[in-house]
């Protein structure tokens, strides 16, 4: 299993050890599903992938900022117009707040159209003495706790692909049709600012920002049709964790007049914290594709290990190729991040530093509900800005688990979700997401910090 594949191919990962591997009982059914996937037309084009890479290269130089967000686990059932529209709406609104605050263009990347596969800390789950496979995302099995639902089913890869296609088709249609009304802050839901616990100065500040933004957008529109057309041409890119390598490699191909292989299920695949072993199958797969690649790094990442990973994934130090998405946790970020920043900086590796303030900040309530505190999320973002400023590097993006709906999964924020509220509308089958108000508030907080940099140490 661990012998070295002599050279890369879309399937050379099969010679390596794969963490989080799914054991499908029926090999013939897997082969049939993979053959179907391979025959489908691609979801994205190499042209779009290369465009994203060039935007990321700009962001590496501080000319753009990246906003990546969406569900922890997308589900097939949530492939619905209202859910997709509200996700686009919150991402677009956050991006406008960030453009306004950071004074630079924002690259919008959804965790959508394929975010169906989940790594798990344990391969099995036990409830009331019954042990079944864990839920590995809708690409692999179903969430319901029954033997039939939890059995890995290869046909779900095909269904996942089809749902990703339907999702992207709708997103492309919305974008082509213009998102004009969503640009107007008068349609934004800022009710959460009215909450009694929101300090007056914060309320005034955020309301002021929204008003200034409205003014700027009106000004743009007043400039005439070209400006409006530009404003309406919003761009979204798709991303997901490249976890199920059967799925990823089935749609990895060469394209006419370009060198190399592209993963055409998504613009931006990423490598998870649990699958980034330098000798593992996931790194082997990702090293050979031409897409930009995100790499999640947690607080236990050793600088040497990270450097080795970067050399393997980006031997030519290509601009726009690597995003390092750090997810340290608010409590550990200020210790864990600087040594990694220095190691990468001193070797001259080109990376885009992105802060994921979600995955290091998960906690469980006394009632056993998995949640995250808004204040921890914000603290980690501030810590990340401070660490990069201190080391002379650039925090070039943020990565969130969020939804456009009013769910109650994360605690706190101006809207004041409490522990008692968590059971009111907790829908995520996996990690807790920011709701609409919490997500927008974070964008305001980042924009506000950019306007008035401060050190929170
Ligand atoms: C995720 O992004 O949902 C995830 C599992 O992250 P990580 O690999 O950083 O734990
Ligand atoms: Co998650």
């Amino acid at each position: 299993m661990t012998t070295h594949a002599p050279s890369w191919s879309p399937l050379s990962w099969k010679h390596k050890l794969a963490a989080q591997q799914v054991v499908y009982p029926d090999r013939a059914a897997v082969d049939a599903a993979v053959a179907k996937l391979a025959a489908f037309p691609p979801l994205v084009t190499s042209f779009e992938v290369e465009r994203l890479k060039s935007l990321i290269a700009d962001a590496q130089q501080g000319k753009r900022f990246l906003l990546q967000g969406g569900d922890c686990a997308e589900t097939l059932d949530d492939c619905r117009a209202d859910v997709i529209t509200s996700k686009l709406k919150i991402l677009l609104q956050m991006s406008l707040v960030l453009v306004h605050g950071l004074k630079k263009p924002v690259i919008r990347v959804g965790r959508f159209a394929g975010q169906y596969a989940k790594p798990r800390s344990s391969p099995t789950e036990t409830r009331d003495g019954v042990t079944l496979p864990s839920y590995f995302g809708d690409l692999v099995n179903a969430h319901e706790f029954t033997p039939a639902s939890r059995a890995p089913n290869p046909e779900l890869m095909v269904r996942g692909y089809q749902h990703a296609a339907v999702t992207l088709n709708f997103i492309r249609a919305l974008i082509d049709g213009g998102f004009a009304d969503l640009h107007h802050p008068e349609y934004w839901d800022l009710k959460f600012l009215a909450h009694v616990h929101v300090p007056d100065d914060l309320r005034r500040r955020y309301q002021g920002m929204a008003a200034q933004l409205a003014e700027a957008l009106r000004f743009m529109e007043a400039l005439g049709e070209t400006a409006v057309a530009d404003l309406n041409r919003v761009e979204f890119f798709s991303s997901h964790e490249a976890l199920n390598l059967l799925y990823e490699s089935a749609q990895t191909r060469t394209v006419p007049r370009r060198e190399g292989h592209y993963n055409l299920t998504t613009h931006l695949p990423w490598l998870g914290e649990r699958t980034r072993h330098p000798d593992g199958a996931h790194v082997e797969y990702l090293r050979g594709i031409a897409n930009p690649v995100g790499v999640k790094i947690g607080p236990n990442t050793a600088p040497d290990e990270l450097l080795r990973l970067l050399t393997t994934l980006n031997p030519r130090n290509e601009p726009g190729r690597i995003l390092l998405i750090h997810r340290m946790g608010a409590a550990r970020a200020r210790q864990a991040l600087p040594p990694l920043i220095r190691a990468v900086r001193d070797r001259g590796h080109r990376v885009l530093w992105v802060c994921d303030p979600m995955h290091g900040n998960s906690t469980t309530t006394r009632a056993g509900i998995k949640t995250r505190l808004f204040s921890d999320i914000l603290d980690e973002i501030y810590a990340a800005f401070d660490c990069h400023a201190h080391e002379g590097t650039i925090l070039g993006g943020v990565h969130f688990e969020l939804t456009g709906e009013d769910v109650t999964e994360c605690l706190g924020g101006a809207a004041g979700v409490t522990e008692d509220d968590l059971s009111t509308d907790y829908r995520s089958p996996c990690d807790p997401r920011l709701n609409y108000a919490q997500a927008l508030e974070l964008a305001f907080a980042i924009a506000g910090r950019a306007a008035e940099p401060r050190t929170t140490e």
Side-chain angles (χ1 to χ4, degrees):
M1 281 293 276
T2 50
T3 53
H4 275 283
S7 60
W8 187 89
S9 81
L11 295 177
S12 56
W13 59 268
K14 291 198 171 188
H15 300 282
K16 302 276 186 164
L17 206 58
Q20 299 280 330
Q21 196 159 349
V22 178
V23 184
Y24 290 105
D26 181 349
R27 281 291 290 274
V30 172
D31 292 346
V34 168
K36 261 194 228 171
L37 280 176
F40 279 137
L43 298 182
V44 303
T45 66
S46 63
F47 173 81
E48 295 163 345
V49 170
E50 287 299 331
R51 167 148 174 86
L52 175 60
K53 210 193 283 176
S54 74
L55 298 178
I56 294 171
D58 284 353
Q60 288 174 342
Q61 295 178 13
K63 295 181 192 155
R64 296 177 187 275
F65 192 78
L66 180 126
L67 169 66
Q68 187 175 16
D71 298 304
C72 178
E74 232 181 343
T75 63
L76 302 185
D77 283 349
D78 267 353
C79 183
R80 299 193 338 225
D82 54 344
V83 175
I84 297 167
T85 310
S86 53
K87 209 162 5 195
L88 280 199
K89 176 175 160 178
I90 182 61
L91 284 171
L92 179 62
Q93 292 181 346
M94 290 172 83
S95 72
L96 290 175
V97 172
L98 293 174
V99 168
H100 183 68
L102 302 173
K103 308 276 180 270
K104 52 178 94 164
V106 169
I107 311 166
R108 304 177 192 93
V109 181
R111 285 175 63 114
F112 53 43
Q115 179 47 22
Y116 295 123
K118 297 308 303 173
R120 302 317 300 252
S121 42
S122 164
T124 57
E125 182 182 341
T126 302
R127 289 190 201 172
D128 302 326
V130 180
T131 299
L132 293 176
S134 293
Y135 169 62
F136 283 96
D138 279 10
L139 199 68
V140 174
N141 57 4
H143 189 246
E144 199 193 351
F145 194 74
T146 63
S149 294
R150 289 292 175 93
N153 173 4
E155 189 53 30
L156 287 174
M157 289 192 276
V158 177
R159 291 194 56 209
Y161 189 82
Q162 290 162 338
H163 282 71
V166 171
T167 303
L168 265 186
N169 181 58
F170 184 52
I171 290 170
R172 291 186 193 281
L174 282 175
I175 291 169
D176 284 349
F179 244 165
D181 58 337
L182 300 183
H183 279 138
H184 287 272
E186 48 272 34
Y187 296 122
W188 296 17
D189 186 356
L190 297 173
K191 278 198 304 288
F192 68 93
L193 287 177
H195 199 279
V196 284
H197 294 303
V198 181
D200 275 347
D201 58 336
L202 204 66
R203 180 179 10 251
R204 269 198 299 276
R205 222 160 146 225
Y206 291 174
Q207 278 168 344
M209 269 193 237
Q212 277 176 18
L213 192 54
E215 193 50 44
L217 289 166
R218 269 194 293 275
F219 177 70
M220 287 283 289
E221 286 185 353
L223 287 181
E225 278 171 30
T226 327
V228 177
D230 275 350
L231 208 57
N232 288 347
R233 202 178 305 120
V234 290
E235 236 176 343
F236 277 92
F237 295 95
S238 65
S239 69
H240 66 246
E241 178 170 351
L243 185 65
N244 187 325
L245 296 176
L246 291 167
Y247 180 84
E248 307 299 326
S249 57
Q251 270 283 339
T252 297
R253 45 179 75 163
T254 55
V255 295
R257 291 177 297 283
R258 278 196 204 279
E259 271 181 36
H261 286 76
Y262 287 82
N263 178 339
L264 296 178
T265 64
T266 188
H267 301 110
L268 172 58
W270 80 78
L271 180 64
E273 164 74 353
R274 294 175 186 77
T275 48
R276 60 171 167 72
H277 193 284
D279 291 321
H282 293 82
V283 172
E284 171 61 18
Y285 167 72
L286 288 167
R287 83 177 169 93
I289 58 170
N291 304 55
V293 168
V295 179
K296 294 285 207 93
I297 47 173
N300 297 323
T301 313
D304 283 359
E305 177 196 351
L306 178 58
L307 293 176
R308 195 173 148 213
L309 199 51
L310 290 175
T311 308
T312 306
L313 288 172
N314 194 19
R316 291 183 292 116
N317 208 9
E318 185 191 1
R321 158 82 171 155
I322 301 286
L323 299 88
L324 281 184
I325 308 171
H326 44 80
R327 23 89 81 226
M328 302 292 163
R332 297 177 70 183
R334 288 178 194 277
Q335 283 74 45
L337 197 48
L340 299 174
I341 295 179
R342 281 180 219 133
V344 173
R345 181 199 65 193
D346 294 349
R347 292 295 177 97
H349 284 289
R350 290 198 182 94
V351 301
L352 180 69
W353 294 101
V354 176
C355 173
D356 164 0
M358 313 299 293
H359 288 89
N361 289 315
S362 303
T363 71
T364 305
T365 66
R366 271 158 300 174
I369 304 175
K370 192 172 178 187
T371 189
R372 291 163 174 155
L373 264 68
F374 184 90
S375 54
D376 286 344
I377 293 168
L378 194 53
D379 279 356
E380 183 164 352
I381 295 173
Y382 287 154
F385 271 112
D386 289 345
C387 290
H388 284 289
H390 194 254
E391 302 300 338
T393 46
I394 301 165
L395 181 66
V398 279
H399 180 121
F400 294 118
E401 287 187 339
L402 55 77
T403 165
E405 337 278 295
D406 286 331
V407 298
T408 53
E409 298 173 7
C410 289
L411 290 172
V417 177
T418 65
E419 267 191 54
D420 288 343
D421 297 329
L422 285 182
S423 52
T424 322
D425 203 354
Y426 197 115
R427 290 184 224 164
S428 173
C430 214
D431 291 340
R433 302 160 297 174
L434 299 161
N435 62 22
Y436 174 84
Q438 290 167 329
L440 198 54
E441 186 181 349
L442 273 178
F444 278 124
I446 297 170
R449 189 199 178 282
E452 281 170 40
R454 66 193 168 105
T455 294
T456 46
E457 276 165 296

